[in-house]
Amino acid sequence: MKTTKKNNLKKIAAITMARNDEFFLERWIKYYGDALGKDNLYIYLDGEDQPIPKNAGSAHVTKFPHTDMSRAAGDKYRINKLSALAKKLLQTYDIVIGCDCDEFLIVDPLTKKSLAEYLSEINIKTTVSGLGLDVGQNINKEKILDKKHQLLMQREYALLSTRYTKPVVINKPVNWGSGFHSIHKHNFHIDKNLYLLHFGAVDMEMLIEKASARGADWVNHLRRRGNGTINAVSTLPAHTEKWLKIARIIQTYARPLYALDKPGMFGLKRVVKIPRRFKKSGV
């Protein structure tokens, strides 16, 4: 098995692709750069007009010409490029983490292990997933996001989401499905100490700002209907972390009939209060 010389850690890379998402991309670089080393980060920018993040440092950044596509076609284009990149990297790396730039894979601080240490120690059978937590702004209790401070210092609620229980960690060449949501003919292995935190709905004003670039109809829709995750964390009761274990068990065995390669929750919608110790992750 290939390893780094220091502390016998496995060699781990992280990859992503982004467009017009400097806010999250800079945080993605900071988080995974601290965890793995910036020289082990590989970033594809969708558009030659995209600025290289100020904190990119020694990260490997590649720009591609942008082509307008439908959402489905664009998702397929991006994941095909990232799957090909991961296959190439696995010639020299032991493990590749692939995720969107607003997603952060964390290990439970109770393990007292870093992300690199933990992934180096566990037995990965082609892929491993963290339990998906869709972090949202509770508009009844939480203020507009202060972009200068850590995200988890300002947000306390998340929707347990099968959508974000993704097979983002691989140690063998595979073809991801769009958005890293699945791997064809591979089951899920949800680790008991890993969590994938998604922050796309971390702030309503940020969502409205993004929608404004798409037109007044999108803004009006958001103001009228809100956002599903934000609505959930703002209106549903927040459960304790015992639901993290319950959700992991359910998602390990439940599969929707229309997508047998993805986890299910029997239609259950549960909001949890994010354990305070997760703030130690630095996200």
Side-chain angles (χ1 to χ4, degrees):
M1 181 65 70
K2 303 182 291 293
T3 59
T4 57
K5 293 182 179 180
K6 184 178 179 181
N7 297 329
N8 211 35
L9 295 179
K10 291 182 179 177
K11 193 174 181 185
I12 306 172
I15 66 176
T16 195
M17 189 167 187
R19 176 172 174 78
N20 298 333
D21 221 337
E22 291 179 70
F23 174 80
F24 284 117
L25 186 54
E26 288 185 359
R27 281 150 185 78
W28 189 94
I29 291 170
K30 174 68 168 63
Y31 177 73
Y32 290 104
D34 288 347
L36 309 174
K38 286 186 180 180
D39 54 330
N40 295 312
L41 306 184
Y42 294 80
I43 300 161
Y44 282 174
L45 293 177
D46 182 12
E48 294 176 335
D49 61 327
Q50 299 293 290
I52 293 177
K54 298 181 181 66
N55 64 337
S58 58
H60 306 270
V61 181
T62 304
K63 295 183 181 184
F64 292 94
H66 175 70
T67 302
D68 288 329
M69 306 179 192
S70 68
R71 180 172 180 175
D75 286 347
K76 187 173 183 180
Y77 163 78
R78 287 186 288 273
I79 205 62
N80 285 345
K81 277 195 169 296
L82 290 166
S83 292
L85 173 61
K87 290 175 184 178
K88 181 178 179 180
L89 291 175
L90 283 169
Q91 296 175 13
T92 53
Y93 283 89
D94 300 292
I95 296 169
V96 173
I97 301 170
C99 60
D100 295 334
C101 65
D102 58 0
E103 296 171 348
F104 301 83
L105 183 70
I106 72 168
V107 60
D108 193 324
L110 287 178
T111 66
K112 297 183 179 179
K113 302 283 186 182
S114 69
L115 182 61
E117 289 170 338
Y118 191 76
L119 292 180
S120 295
E121 293 176 4
I122 63 174
N123 180 27
I124 300 175
K125 300 176 181 179
T126 304
T127 178
V128 71
S129 303
L131 184 68
L133 295 177
D134 194 6
V135 181
Q137 178 189 10
N138 184 324
I139 57 176
N140 299 317
K141 297 181 179 181
E142 297 172 334
K143 299 178 181 178
I144 294 173
L145 194 73
D146 185 340
K147 296 181 180 180
K148 296 179 181 178
H149 296 293
Q150 292 180 7
L151 303 178
L152 284 183
M153 290 297 182
Q154 305 175 68
R155 295 294 181 258
E156 296 187 351
Y157 303 93
L159 179 66
L160 286 166
S161 175
T162 57
R163 181 171 175 77
Y164 296 105
T165 301
K166 299 181 177 184
V168 297
V169 180
I170 61 173
N171 66 354
K172 293 182 177 65
V174 299
N175 291 315
W176 274 298
S178 294
F180 304 98
H181 290 290
S182 64
I183 298 173
H184 186 52
K185 295 184 178 180
H186 281 275
N187 201 352
F188 277 73
H189 304 281
I190 308 172
D191 186 88
K192 63 181 180 180
N193 292 310
L194 290 175
Y195 298 86
L196 186 68
L197 276 59
H198 172 253
F199 287 91
V202 72
D203 188 78
M204 189 63 175
E205 289 302 315
M206 285 178 60
L207 285 174
I208 290 173
E209 183 179 339
K210 280 189 175 182
S212 65
R214 304 175 71 175
D217 287 345
W218 285 92
V219 175
N220 291 336
H221 175 79
L222 262 181
R223 292 193 184 280
R224 183 175 64 254
R225 299 291 299 277
N227 168 272
T229 300
I230 290 176
N231 286 345
V233 301
S234 299
T235 59
L236 297 178
H239 296 269
T240 63
E241 68 174 279
K242 73 177 183 180
W243 259 95
L244 300 179
K245 182 177 181 180
I246 294 171
R248 188 181 297 111
I249 293 171
I250 293 173
Q251 292 185 32
T252 295
Y253 299 103
R255 295 290 180 271
L257 293 177
Y258 59 86
L260 295 177
D261 57 353
K262 296 180 181 180
M265 276 278 286
F266 299 122
L268 293 172
K269 185 176 284 190
R270 291 291 184 272
V271 170
V272 293
K273 193 162 186 180
I274 301 168
R276 289 185 61 84
R277 65 182 180 276
F278 283 17
K279 297 180 188 296
K280 297 178 182 178
S281 66
V283 177

